Amino acid sequence: MSAYAGTGRLIRLVLRRDRVQVPIWIAGSVLLLAAGAAAVADEFPDEAGRVTALKGAGTSPAVLLMRGTPVGTDLGALVNFRNFAFMLVLAGLMSTFAMVRHTRQNEENGRGEMLGSGSVGRYAGLTAALVVVGGADLLLGAALTGTLLGAGLPADGAVAFGAATAATGLAFAGLAAVAAQLFQSARGANAFAATAVGGAYLVRGVGDALGERAPDGIQVISAWPSWLSPIGWGTLVRPFGDEVWWVLALPLVLLVACVAAAFALVDHRDFGAGLIADRPGPGVASRSLLSPFGLAWRLNRGATLGWVIGSAVFGLGIGTLGKTVNDAMTANAGAVKILDQLAGAGVANLVDTFYAAMMNVYGVLAAGFVVQVMLRLRSEEAGGPAEAVLATAVGRVRWVIAHLACALIGATALLVMAGAGMGVADAAVGGVTGVGPLIGAGLAQLPAALTLAGFVVLAFGLLPRLTVTLAWAALVLSIACGLLGEVFGLPEAVRDLSPFSHVPPIPAAEVTVGPLAALVVTAAGLAAIGLTLFRRRSLAL
């Protein structure tokens, strides 16, 4: 029997399982890009306005880190600047989650073993996943190209935009295929692949922030770190600028290398096992594991420490930029406007507006951490350990609340350390914002993050098998509607659906207790409904 036997039938199975998720990813990306392009056309109808905005952006390392580099002054170039990096991240996340779902997760939950008992070759599952995910990336690229052409933008730039997005997604599909061979759990593979996407975005941002301004004062040439990042390769294609087509070969080369490595690794591991085996742990458990909270903390402590330490280090770096931002952008109305959009502020103190914008980013990071911790509920249930725990005297409510407590403690520590790091670094470079206000600004993001935790509990209680999809989709939509809602030109009613839209831009504005209290009540209500539903349903293994 060929190692590829049964690939066609598995492709049909993967397509059937993804008949909802993939269209949602693609349709959501198209809607966001269409809204973003329309907002740019409405907000910057003439070149003078675009020049003012882009000149300001090029002077700020923080804006370049978050958005990418300006490539020109026409309408397409500004659409690129405001939307392209985010689209590349979406393509990367779509590819990694789909690839892990159809490879490692199949082996973890036993579906792969059941399929393999038939006339299915050893390479068929991986091949089917690569074919479907690759097709989804190409479809996403074509859809984005069509969206930009429909907005009346030049064909060369639109094709480059779509091609770079598709190529970036393919590169991350290859990385996820390797991760699925290395790790024994879908959670580990997803964490590795998602970290790769985040790391690539950060490295790209560092390269753009260190870039050199062109003689026209608008365009910025990225520094060498951008060439180390798959997302950086996408931006270096420079759609709607002077397109550099050969850069598209870089993510494709990475895809080919990763696919070759993934197929080679398949031959060097047992089915169901990963090359990085889970550690067996000590023979005798400590007393701390006798409680539901002790067990939940043991399961989440590694990820929690990593998030907290990373946030503190990132905060130190952000805190050193305050004085630079103030010196470089005080007289630049375009840059101030961009920061106002990110912070949701609209105030005179530019440094505080900058810190408020950065705190929104930390709010998203805290929400991502909370979602990751709460999804442990679903992996424990689907994998079987939850059944053993709940067969003891531990009740379902105590078990879920233990994980909620871990999410609360971890998110609090993450935001406190971020604010403290930012405040210490700001004081070291002569800033006057202070450590206390920045810690308070960080803690103001906590209710929004906890709202996502409440939603995950609701999804877990109501639709357990869709919990992972719903949780990450909710986070992406919260970011798109909240942090980027004004950039995309979304109506206020849509932006208000995101919990991040209701967080006051501290320290650029006074604390308003009402919205924060409403978020806490919403989070508690969602969690309570989810707990009630979980108590009434059977375990979904």
Side-chain angles (χ1 to χ4, degrees):
M1 183 176 67
S2 167
Y4 297 94
T7 299
R9 283 171 290 168
L10 289 185
I11 289 175
R12 291 196 294 274
L13 176 62
V14 173
L15 287 172
R16 177 172 175 74
R17 291 184 62 205
D18 271 354
R19 66 187 184 282
V20 175
Q21 287 97 327
V22 169
I24 288 176
W25 275 101
I26 295 176
S29 301
V30 166
L31 289 174
L32 288 175
L33 181 60
V40 169
D42 182 59
E43 194 173 348
F44 301 98
D46 56 76
E47 185 167 6
R50 296 194 291 271
V51 168
T52 300
L54 291 171
K55 275 188 175 178
T59 62
S60 170
V63 174
L64 293 175
L65 187 148
M66 296 182 65
R67 292 291 186 81
T69 56
V71 297
T73 59
D74 60 22
L75 203 58
L78 192 52
V79 171
N80 173 331
F81 177 68
R82 294 180 59 160
N83 302 279
F84 192 31
F86 185 62
M87 289 297 151
L88 296 178
V89 171
L90 286 182
L93 292 177
M94 180 189 77
S95 299
T96 54
F97 290 153
M99 181 58 66
V100 172
R101 181 166 63 252
H102 296 298
T103 51
R104 173 51 58 187
Q105 191 180 78
N106 274 354
E107 294 189 33
E108 187 178 16
N109 60 23
R111 185 182 292 114
E113 185 177 13
M114 182 184 67
L115 294 172
S117 63
S119 301
V120 175
R122 187 168 180 78
Y123 296 154
L126 178 58
T127 306
L130 285 168
V131 169
V132 173
V133 176
D137 285 320
L138 295 177
L139 189 58
L140 173 63
L144 296 182
T145 299
T147 302
L148 295 172
L149 291 174
L153 299 178
D156 287 354
V159 172
F161 193 107
T165 305
T168 302
L170 288 170
F172 282 108
L175 286 171
V178 173
Q181 312 308 316
L182 295 177
F183 295 93
Q184 193 161 338
S185 68
R187 177 184 172 86
N190 271 325
F192 175 86
T195 302
V197 175
Y201 185 84
L202 181 60
V203 171
R204 187 279 316 158
V206 171
D208 291 346
L210 298 175
E212 181 181 352
R213 299 193 72 177
D216 63 3
I218 300 295
Q219 300 187 49
V220 175
I221 309 302
S222 301
W224 62 267
S226 291
W227 291 95
L228 304 177
S229 162
I231 291 181
W233 297 339
T235 59
L236 288 167
V237 174
R238 299 175 70 83
F240 300 105
D242 47 346
E243 286 87 2
V244 187
W245 296 99
W246 70 266
V247 179
L248 290 172
L250 296 178
L252 299 181
V253 169
L254 178 60
L255 170 68
V256 172
C258 288
V259 169
F263 278 111
L265 293 174
V266 169
D267 290 331
H268 290 82
R269 67 177 180 88
D270 293 330
F271 189 84
L275 291 182
I276 302 176
D278 292 341
R279 291 185 300 173
V284 179
S286 65
R287 292 184 59 83
S288 64
L289 291 177
L290 294 177
S291 69
F293 176 78
L295 177 60
W297 170 249
R298 175 65 182 82
L299 294 172
N300 292 294
R301 67 181 182 183
T304 302
L305 292 175
W307 279 88
V308 171
I309 294 172
S311 296
V313 173
F314 189 36
L316 287 170
I318 294 296
T320 62
L321 296 176
K323 188 173 184 300
T324 302
V325 169
N326 188 58
D327 295 341
M329 300 171 59
T330 298
N332 197 312
V336 173
K337 184 175 182 180
I338 290 175
L339 277 180
D340 278 350
Q341 289 176 348
L342 292 172
V347 295
N349 190 323
L350 185 57
V351 174
D352 287 348
T353 304
F354 169 69
Y355 286 141
M358 293 301 103
M359 277 305 175
N360 276 340
V361 176
Y362 276 111
V364 170
L365 293 177
F369 163 78
V370 162
V371 168
Q372 183 187 21
V373 170
M374 296 310 298
L375 285 180
R376 190 84 194 194
L377 293 170
R378 177 55 192 158
S379 64
E380 291 291 294
E381 181 186 27
E387 185 177 20
V389 172
L390 296 176
T392 66
V394 176
R396 293 190 177 198
V397 173
R398 286 182 64 202
W399 180 64
V400 173
I401 288 179
H403 286 268
L404 272 172
C406 287
L408 172 63
I409 294 171
T412 303
L414 184 156
L415 293 169
V416 168
M417 292 303 293
M422 200 180 294
V424 169
D426 177 71
V429 298
V432 296
T433 303
V435 176
L438 286 173
I439 291 178
L443 291 176
Q445 301 289 335
L446 186 60
L450 294 180
T451 303
L452 269 298
F455 178 81
V456 176
V457 176
L458 174 63
F460 178 67
L462 181 62
L463 299 168
R465 291 187 172 87
L466 294 178
T467 303
V468 176
T469 301
L470 292 174
W472 291 115
L475 178 61
V476 171
L477 288 175
S478 296
I479 297 171
C481 295
L483 266 65
L484 303 176
E486 189 169 347
V487 174
F488 290 129
L490 300 178
E492 186 173 353
V494 176
R495 298 203 300 268
D496 286 345
L497 295 176
S498 169
F500 300 113
S501 297
H502 305 284
V503 178
I506 304 170
E510 297 293 330
V511 178
T512 49
V513 178
L516 298 179
L519 288 174
V520 172
V521 171
T522 301
L526 292 173
I529 296 173
L531 281 169
T532 302
L533 294 171
F534 179 50
R535 292 184 64 190
R536 295 173 180 272
R537 71 169 173 84
S538 301
L539 292 181
L541 301 176

